[in-house]
Amino acid sequence: MSQGTATTLAGNTPPITRKPKKNLLSDGQGTLAAILISPTMLVILFVVGIPILLSLRESVFLKATAVDPVTGLIPEGESFVGLGNFTDIFNNPQVVQGAWGPMDRLVNSFVNVTFFTVVCVVLETILGVAMALIMARAFRGKGFVRAAILIPWAIPTVVSARMWGLIFDSNGVMNAILGQKILWLADNSYSQMAIVIADVWKTAPFIGLLTLAGLQTIPADVYEAARVDGANAWQQFVRITLPMVKPALVVAVLFRTLDTMRMFDLPWAMVGPGKYYVETTSILAYVENNQLRYGSAAAYSLVLFAYIVVVAFLFVKLLGADVIGDDESRALTAQRKRQKELAKASNQKVKLARSTITSGEGQS
Amino acid sequence: MTTATAPASARVTAEELAVLTKPRRGGKYWVSQIGIILGMAFIVLYCVLPFYWMIVSSLRLPTEGRDTTFWPDPVSFENYPTVFDPNNGFGRALLNSLIVSLTTTLLTLLLGILGAYALARLRFWAKGLVLSIIIACSMFPGITLLIPLFKMFTGAYSWMPINWMNTYQALIIPSLSFGLPLAVWNLTAFFRQLPVELEQAAMVDGCTPGQAFRKIILPLAAPGVFTTAIITFIAVWNEFMIALTFGTRQDMYTAVVSISKFTGAYGYDTPWGTIMAAGVLITVPLIIGVLIFQRRIVAGLTAGGVK
Amino acid sequence: MSHARTTRRVLAAAATFGALLVTAACSSSASPSASGSAAGGVNWDERGPITYAQGKDTAGVWKGVLDQWNAAHPNEQVTFVELSPEADQQRADMIKRGQAKSGEFSVMSVDVVWTSEFAANGFLQELPADKFPTTGMLKSAVDASTYFNKLYAYPQGSDGAMLYYRKDLLDKAGLQPPKTWDEMQAACDKVLPDQKGMSCYAGQHQKYEGLTCNIAEAVNSAGGEFITADGKPAVNTPEAIAGLQWMVDGFKTGMIPADAITWKEEEGRQAFQDGKLLFHRNWPYVWNLASKTDGSSKVAGKFAVAPLPGKTGPGVSTLGGHNIGISAFTKNKGTAGDFIKFIASEPIQKTFLEKGSLAPILESLYADPALNKQFPYLSTLGESIKTAKARPKAVKYGDVTLAIQDATYSALQKQVEPAAAFGDLQTKLEGLLK
């Protein structure tokens, strides 16, 4: 199928002798696309873009907090401090005693975020994949189990946090079952455990679902062939299951990671504010807001956002998370790579393709 | 088995074939079957037990909220009418949740279908950029958006002189900030799954792309649209921070905000029984909906990840 | 084509920076102007409808009070605005209006510990002494409404803590309610061996505002203080450290049960009602709930209250309660002023006590014999409030209370020694109260 933009791999552009045939479905639809996508983008600009800009602005200002010694009143207004809010943690560390020793409160919150993300995501992935494996092999009762799996996802986080708060009460049922008097809701490593347990409970089934869907796309013949070839269960798992489930699993794990890094509801509602063992950066930003320090609150949340972007970037580059997953983007990238190599080889300037066909065939 | 003729003595009869190909059910098979059944039981218990505890706690006497027996004695339904005590305004909160969730879902579907069609079917240079922006929306910590949104909608900025505090608009529009990216993402994945050949065939028969979309694709994508609607509805129903910030009057609470504000007669005492009962009441409709539509929901949740 | 793409990208980046510059330009530089909350230049004659904002009316008493006012003032109606039952949320809501210079809440119910912060930020209208007398009000309550020697609100309702104790068990052992910590320990030593599963004492020791109240009581009852009368931190003294030491030792020796470190008011009340505590420090609300005869309380009719014990003599309770203040930005300040006088008047304070069990701010009511009959704990409560001490008055109260909780909680969790904890606290408070 011919395209509108005439690029060739041969290196010399043939003269265009006839008007290119219009592909109604995917030719020159830029205007239509703009019309269709602009309401969405406008709304996103309004409710996400503008607040982000305002947050950026807030983060470079500092509100006056000095009390006038005569009247006792605080002067109004803010002053521009540039990156002052960000470098403040180095000049004015607020040392707290967290799970990792005494350190600045912001750094402590970041370490907590990292800890929770790593532990929760690893646990929920292992549990979720295990659930998926079990469910994939069962013959009956799948519907029932699938429905049960959706229950943790359907319960609002606030309700779930209260529910777990009751369970983890020092006189609650968890201690009754364990026969111990563990102080889950104090400020210690048990509080961290409580949060991990409550979070993994809610999210492992979600990963299980996504993995199960990925598992169900693997044809049974592949396993059959491997079994005939003498592979045992573990080898089948590592060599067949994991690689084929990897794309879906990596995307699921990526989204879970992004969510866990922003964790706020669970530690706030279950353990409470002011507990440095479980204070995440989201909680710290919220608390700073309550103390009327809007500049540092905005700065902290933006640093968290930067951290999240870095992690997402690593996921995409290192683990190959195919987030966009668009055939066209993939084909376009491949095509442009080919064009660049060709141009380098033949020492010619090249006009890089802007887009390819969406139909999924079309190799140019 | 080859199809070449073989000596009669080597040919296998149908019955012998059936016997030979029957899967061997040795000891190992039964062990693995039992393991699987145990595993399934574990999964179900894992998911249901904390919820069971919530139900059980709601069935205790109002003063025994912290009791740890596995089945209440006596079983009491007293907590449930207390939930609907006029002081709590829970009925109104449920209505608010319904209105906000429905409206947000409809809006996101409307905008999302248009946008997803463009992203799934059309060629344009900014497609990667748009998709990246949509994903980036889910990377912002909620707190970053919340305070500026609050200031915007309460007239703190001179360029936006509106005060929508405690109105439905203020609950719906900020919810779009997470609902719209989610819906567009899901719908794009669904539309992509439908082969382009369908539309091309329709156009060969003389439809314009728009007609092809309306008459062929939309009906086929109806399950996907429906699933996205359910997922968005549940996400907005369960949303807490935005509802808490913009609904500060009791008649504008949503259900999850209302439940977080249940308090006893003295401000200090926590009516665990009533709170758990309200939690059950909020969750049960969602769970029933989930049970009915579980196939669709699973298809929707997995569409984004599985190509 | 690639040029176009790059150009587009540059344009997008430039647009972003431009937007940022524009928003930055719309800034206000720090101006030393005080907001219009000074006493002069206020129109006290403007009258009309106003709003009153407070947390949830859990006692159900405000409807009657407002109906009374509205019937008598048809042109100056007061509308009740209900805020969250949680203190933090109420404070956040009031601050949002103050920052926005909005008079949406004409009159507000301000917790005693927020008064300094609200006054310093210019949210509260200063009340001139000639128009707003404070005769007959509890001195501690009035002190909690004052900032920089100016009155910024009227006391609305007070609160003090009391020692709940098992009268039946003490009577059996022939003991009087303890006045000192040693006496309390002695009572426990005598009574507890015969009681299974009962611990000696618990207050509120979870890491939240209640812990600040409890440690303030321990410190003040040991003869120390957090800040001196002229606002300088003085927590690094042997007396103050002795207070913290008492609480830490309580956990060490088992006088306080180990899981009390996760207890707020409700958990402690539950333990006392279940007969698991001999002595319990809590607010007056426990009286009614623990006296219920429907089977929820095992100690109904078996307990009584006493003032808190101290190190060498009677202890000092923490002052709780609320003040009622006028927003600096509201209209109709004349009506608002009359309304807060109405709330602080004797008939209404009596109604608050009778119908809502809320402690009044007028001294006379604590001596009333009829009320004392109706509320057996009233005289103990009055004593407790009269000698109560407020928590540190600070503009940055949120940071101050967090610092106190940090020091106390890490000492209770045996992470730091009491002396070191309060040494650090002293440094922190010096930084915060500059």
Side-chain angles (χ1 to χ4, degrees):
Chain A
M1 232 196 207
S2 68
Q3 309 180 81
T5 52
T7 61
T8 74
L9 294 178
N12 36 340
T13 319
I16 302 175
T17 50
R18 55 185 165 81
K19 206 163 170 347
K21 202 156 49 160
K22 248 190 133 180
N23 179 344
L24 275 177
L25 196 53
S26 43
D27 256 0
Q29 296 294 307
T31 332
L32 179 61
I35 296 177
L36 290 179
I37 199 85
S38 53
T40 304
M41 294 314 287
L42 274 177
V43 169
I44 289 185
L45 182 73
F46 185 60
V47 288
V48 178
I50 296 187
I52 296 295
L53 282 180
L54 293 171
S55 257
L56 272 171
R57 180 232 182 250
E58 197 64 52
S59 68
V60 292
F61 279 82
L62 187 62
K63 190 178 179 312
T65 52
V67 171
D68 184 312
V70 171
T71 59
L73 299 173
I74 298 181
E76 292 179 24
E78 313 172 289
S79 46
F80 183 76
V81 290
L83 293 178
N85 286 325
F86 295 91
T87 58
D88 212 26
I89 52 169
F90 302 112
N91 306 334
N92 260 348
Q94 185 190 355
V95 178
V96 302
Q97 189 82 17
W100 324 98
M103 62 177 70
D104 174 72
R105 194 169 175 194
L106 178 66
V107 177
N108 177 62
S109 71
F110 269 100
V111 178
N112 281 339
V113 160
T114 315
F115 170 75
F116 282 137
T117 309
V118 169
V119 172
C120 288
V121 170
V122 164
L123 279 179
E124 67 202 26
T125 309
I126 295 179
L127 262 183
V129 171
M131 284 187 195
L133 288 174
I134 294 177
M135 282 178 55
R137 307 251 272 172
F139 283 109
R140 283 186 285 177
K142 247 200 233 167
F144 178 65
V145 177
R146 198 163 43 202
I149 276 197
L150 289 173
I151 288 183
W153 170 73
I155 298 186
T157 318
V158 160
V159 174
S160 152
R162 299 224 111 186
M163 186 176 73
W164 282 104
L166 190 58
I167 294 177
F168 280 124
D169 189 69
S170 58
N171 289 321
V173 66
M174 182 65 93
N175 277 343
I177 294 178
L178 292 176
Q180 306 242 10
K181 268 280 196 184
I182 301 181
L183 302 173
W184 299 99
L185 303 181
D187 189 15
N188 51 30
S189 35
Y190 288 111
S191 324
Q192 294 180 317
M193 248 189 257
I195 292 196
V196 169
I197 292 177
D199 190 58
V200 168
W201 174 79
K202 195 171 203 292
T203 50
F206 187 73
I207 299 221
L209 266 185
L210 295 180
T211 316
L212 180 62
L215 280 178
Q216 286 172 332
T217 63
I218 305 178
D221 312 346
V222 181
Y223 286 112
E224 193 61 35
R227 200 172 58 82
V228 164
D229 282 346
N232 62 29
W234 177 250
Q235 283 171 328
Q236 286 177 30
F237 177 67
V238 173
R239 297 286 182 82
I240 302 178
T241 316
L242 272 189
M244 295 201 74
V245 131
K246 180 171 168 247
L249 188 60
V250 166
V251 172
V253 168
L254 170 63
F255 279 118
R256 282 306 321 151
T257 307
L258 299 184
D259 270 347
T260 316
M261 290 179 79
R262 297 176 299 155
M263 178 153 62
F264 174 85
D265 297 357
L266 197 55
W268 179 271
M270 197 170 80
V271 181
K275 306 268 179 74
Y276 300 120
Y277 272 71
V278 302
E279 189 176 63
T280 61
T281 313
S282 289
I283 292 182
L284 178 57
Y286 186 82
V287 165
E288 287 290 289
N289 246 308
N290 276 353
Q291 295 308 323
L292 311 185
R293 283 190 287 268
Y294 301 113
S296 41
Y300 295 167
S301 62
L302 286 171
V303 177
L304 177 64
F305 172 63
Y307 191 20
I308 293 178
V309 166
V310 166
V311 168
F313 186 71
L314 286 177
F315 256 86
V316 169
K317 283 292 174 214
L318 293 184
L319 294 179
D322 190 10
V323 180
I324 307 225
D326 185 29
D327 290 335
E328 168 163 340
S329 302
R330 274 196 294 246
L332 181 61
T333 321
Q335 181 186 11
R336 297 176 86 184
K337 198 158 139 205
R338 283 195 297 268
Q339 287 178 318
K340 278 192 206 147
E341 284 168 6
L342 213 65
K344 217 181 349 175
S346 57
N347 261 328
Q348 283 196 358
K349 256 177 84 159
V350 69
K351 217 162 62 160
L352 287 175
R354 283 181 60 199
S355 51
T356 67
I357 315 176
T358 340
S359 67
E361 43 168 321
Q363 308 302 318
S364 42
Chain B
M1 287 286 112
T2 66
T3 49
T5 46
S9 55
R11 234 175 294 153
V12 178
T13 64
E15 298 89 41
E16 288 170 333
L17 190 60
V19 167
L20 280 173
T21 53
K22 192 166 165 194
R24 216 141 296 173
R25 305 218 163 181
K28 235 185 183 177
Y29 173 76
W30 286 115
V31 166
S32 74
Q33 277 299 90
I34 292 179
I36 289 179
I37 293 180
L38 281 180
M40 300 274 268
F42 166 75
I43 295 178
V44 173
L45 281 180
Y46 171 94
C47 293
V48 168
L49 266 183
F51 184 63
Y52 166 80
W53 191 253
M54 189 158 84
I55 297 181
V56 157
S57 297
S58 69
L59 292 176
R60 298 192 200 282
L61 283 175
T63 46
E64 298 288 332
R66 300 171 155 275
D67 200 12
T68 57
T69 54
F70 276 114
W71 188 252
D73 171 37
V75 174
S76 151
F77 288 97
E78 261 180 71
N79 287 318
Y80 285 91
T82 322
V83 171
F84 288 103
D85 184 283
N87 268 345
N88 288 331
F90 193 64
R92 171 73 196 235
L94 282 175
L95 181 66
N96 287 338
S97 270
L98 196 64
I99 293 178
V100 172
S101 299
L102 267 181
T103 318
T104 311
T105 308
L106 286 173
L107 277 178
T108 56
L109 279 184
L110 190 63
L111 296 175
I113 290 180
L114 297 177
Y117 175 68
L119 287 169
R121 286 285 182 261
L122 301 180
R123 288 165 44 202
F124 55 104
W125 61 273
K127 191 187 293 198
L129 179 66
V130 165
L131 282 168
S132 306
I133 291 181
I134 288 181
I135 296 176
C137 283
S138 60
M139 288 198 230
F140 290 111
I143 188 69
T144 320
L145 302 178
L146 199 58
I147 306 293
L149 277 176
F150 176 79
K151 284 190 176 167
M152 279 165 68
F153 284 100
T154 52
Y157 293 118
S158 44
W159 43 269
M160 199 155 144
I162 51 170
N163 189 348
W164 281 348
M165 194 64 188
N166 282 317
T167 57
Y168 283 118
Q169 316 74 292
L171 291 170
I172 292 172
I173 297 184
S175 296
L176 292 176
S177 70
F178 67 89
L180 191 53
L182 179 67
V184 170
W185 179 250
N186 260 302
L187 286 170
T188 310
F190 270 116
F191 286 169
R192 278 214 203 107
Q193 282 176 352
L194 299 170
V196 186
E197 284 71 22
L198 290 172
E199 286 162 86
Q200 291 175 336
M203 288 192 311
V204 162
D205 284 346
C207 295
T208 67
Q211 283 176 327
F213 181 70
R214 269 201 319 275
K215 296 204 178 140
I216 312 283
I217 297 301
L218 263 190
L220 279 177
V225 170
F226 195 61
T227 308
T228 307
I230 297 174
I231 294 178
T232 312
F233 185 88
I234 292 186
V236 179
W237 182 276
N238 289 351
E239 203 285 328
F240 181 63
M241 282 200 80
I242 293 179
L244 182 69
T245 307
F246 289 102
T248 59
R249 262 194 346 241
Q250 189 176 28
D251 60 336
M252 286 309 290
Y253 287 165
T254 58
V256 283
V257 172
S258 176
I259 201 185
S260 76
K261 294 192 184 291
F262 275 16
T263 176
Y266 295 95
Y268 282 120
D269 54 329
T270 328
W272 282 111
T274 323
I275 293 176
M276 290 295 128
V280 171
L281 285 174
I282 289 186
T283 322
V284 161
L286 291 181
I287 290 185
I288 293 181
V290 155
L291 285 177
I292 298 179
F293 299 116
Q294 47 148 308
R295 266 185 220 285
R296 293 207 201 285
I297 294 179
V298 171
L301 290 175
T302 57
V306 180
K307 306 291 173 293
Chain C
M1 287 306 148
S2 56
H3 296 304
R5 199 187 208 101
T6 322
T7 319
R8 283 204 188 86
R9 285 202 178 132
V10 169
L11 279 176
T16 316
F17 273 118
L20 201 55
L21 284 177
V22 166
T23 51
C26 304
S27 74
S28 49
S29 51
S31 55
S33 65
S35 53
S37 75
V42 175
N43 185 356
W44 288 107
D45 297 320
E46 199 186 351
R47 311 195 81 88
I50 56 173
T51 58
Y52 168 68
Q54 71 152 50
K56 194 165 179 166
D57 181 19
T58 49
V61 71
W62 274 90
K63 187 164 188 315
V65 168
L66 287 182
D67 286 346
Q68 205 179 326
W69 168 279
N70 286 335
H73 300 82
N75 294 330
E76 301 170 50
Q77 301 279 297
V78 174
T79 319
F80 186 86
V81 176
E82 181 188 295
L83 302 178
S84 164
E86 289 151 21
D88 284 338
Q89 192 58 41
Q90 295 167 22
R91 175 176 161 276
D93 286 341
M94 293 178 192
I95 287 183
K96 279 190 191 126
R97 271 66 182 184
Q99 302 248 291
K101 294 212 180 22
S102 151
E104 187 183 339
F105 301 157
S106 313
V107 177
M108 305 181 276
S109 179
V110 179
D111 194 311
V112 287
V113 290
W114 307 334
T115 313
S116 303
E117 185 182 13
F118 282 19
N121 277 293
F123 301 156
L124 290 177
Q125 174 63 50
E126 187 192 327
L127 305 176
D130 51 346
K131 284 198 165 55
F132 293 91
T134 57
T135 43
M137 297 183 185
L138 292 167
K139 288 221 177 4
S140 44
V142 172
D143 181 60
S145 321
T146 318
Y147 177 68
F148 261 74
N149 289 324
K150 291 177 245 171
L151 191 69
Y152 277 93
Y154 256 178
Q156 174 189 8
S158 194
D159 219 355
M162 303 183 292
L163 187 75
Y164 291 81
Y165 66 94
R166 292 290 300 275
K167 191 168 191 322
D168 58 336
L169 296 176
L170 284 192
D171 283 348
K172 212 164 62 172
L175 294 169
Q176 286 296 307
K179 290 204 175 48
T180 68
W181 292 339
D182 290 333
E183 279 177 30
M184 189 165 74
Q185 183 67 56
C188 290
D189 293 336
K190 198 157 179 208
V191 172
L192 286 186
D194 299 323
Q195 304 296 327
K196 254 195 332 209
M198 187 184 267
S199 302
C200 179
Y201 165 87
Q204 288 76 52
H205 309 282
Q206 174 66 293
K207 191 175 185 188
Y208 75 122
E209 183 65 19
L211 181 62
T212 309
C213 294
N214 274 254
I215 192 61
E217 280 158 10
V219 163
N220 291 331
S221 303
E225 52 188 354
F226 278 111
I227 50 177
T228 61
D230 20 285
K232 302 251 176 313
V235 75
N236 205 1
T237 59
E239 293 86 9
I241 296 177
L244 178 58
Q245 189 72 51
W246 170 74
M247 208 186 271
V248 170
D249 288 342
F251 276 96
K252 267 201 207 133
T253 59
M255 177 185 87
I256 306 179
D259 50 348
I261 209 173
T262 59
W263 287 0
K264 297 191 179 178
E265 283 84 359
E266 275 297 275
E267 287 85 354
R269 171 178 78 87
Q270 192 73 43
F272 186 71
Q273 276 184 211
D274 291 343
K276 297 213 183 92
L277 286 175
L278 185 58
F279 296 104
H280 182 45
R281 175 265 180 217
N282 213 324
W283 307 100
Y285 85 105
V286 171
W287 182 280
N288 285 345
L289 291 172
S291 304
K292 276 203 178 151
T293 44
D294 60 2
S296 60
S297 168
K298 297 196 179 68
V299 304
K302 297 189 192 153
F303 70 95
V305 287
L308 296 177
K311 184 150 189 277
T312 49
V316 177
S317 160
T318 298
L319 186 74
H322 283 74
N323 299 329
I324 188 166
I326 304 178
S327 162
F329 314 107
T330 182
K331 299 201 282 264
N332 304 326
K333 292 203 175 127
T335 310
D338 284 349
F339 181 65
I340 66 175
K341 286 188 195 155
F342 170 72
I343 296 298
S345 65
E346 183 167 328
I348 299 299
Q349 289 288 315
K350 200 165 175 196
T351 310
F352 280 155
L353 176 58
E354 285 173 330
K355 297 230 171 61
S357 306
L358 299 165
I361 47 104
L362 296 171
E363 295 199 18
S364 51
L365 289 173
Y366 287 97
D368 184 305
L371 289 175
N372 266 293
K373 223 179 190 184
Q374 191 182 351
F375 300 96
Y377 58 83
L378 191 61
S379 55
T380 311
L381 181 60
E383 265 186 69
S384 169
I385 295 182
K386 279 203 191 96
T387 54
K389 250 188 141 174
R391 282 155 280 174
K393 279 162 75 163
V395 173
K396 291 188 198 161
Y397 181 73
D399 295 328
V400 167
T401 188
L402 185 61
I404 296 179
Q405 291 167 33
D406 281 351
T408 313
Y409 210 67
S410 33
L412 291 182
Q413 289 199 138
K414 304 199 192 74
Q415 290 161 329
V416 196
E417 284 296 309
F422 271 11
D424 281 338
L425 181 59
Q426 173 75 13
T427 323
K428 271 197 203 158
L429 288 181
E430 278 167 5
L432 287 170
L433 292 169
K434 256 201 300 251

